[in-house]
Amino acid sequence: MTDPFYWHYHPNSDETFLELEGVLCIDLEDKTVELSPNQLITIPANVVHRTRPKYERSVNVTFERKGIETVKLDK
């Protein structure tokens, strides 16, 4: 990842991120969580969030339900 992803939520699935390289920032409505390599976090369904690299790039694996629905927000 080299650019921020847009603000969104998933009404039908949790979303889990495993950071492999760099630092992944996960912005929530009230705070930002930073994941370093080998750290994992699950964002529950219906939680508004966006992801972005802290520095030039971030490499992560995202686990989500097949057929996940993404609702894009204008923020």
Side-chain angles (χ1 to χ4, degrees), residues 25-37:
C25 295
I26 302 174
D27 297 321
L28 305 170
E29 291 184 294
D30 62 343
K31 66 181 177 179
T32 297
V33 177
E34 293 186 5
L35 289 186
S36 295

Side-chain angles (χ1 to χ4, degrees):
M1 165 178 276
T2 57
D3 294 311
F5 200 68
Y6 52 81
W7 285 96
H8 65 284
Y9 67 94
H10 308 286
N12 67 336
S13 178
D14 295 343
E15 188 172 32
T16 299
F17 298 92
L18 172 62
E19 184 62 11
L20 301 177
E21 183 181 314
V23 177
L24 177 66
C25 295
I26 302 174
D27 297 321
L28 305 170
E29 291 184 294
D30 62 343
K31 66 181 177 179
T32 297
V33 177
E34 293 186 5
L35 289 186
S36 295
N38 302 316
Q39 291 185 317
L40 179 86
I41 190 172
T42 298
I43 306 299
N46 292 307
V47 172
V48 174
H49 63 284
R50 76 168 179 164
T51 54
R52 59 185 171 84
K54 183 170 185 175
Y55 303 111
E56 190 172 312
R57 77 179 202 135
S58 169
V59 178
N60 70 81
V61 176
T62 304
F63 301 91
E64 56 196 26
R65 178 181 172 190
K66 181 179 178 179
I68 190 171
E69 181 181 345
T70 301
V71 178
K72 183 178 180 179
L73 300 173
D74 294 324
K75 277 193 155 203

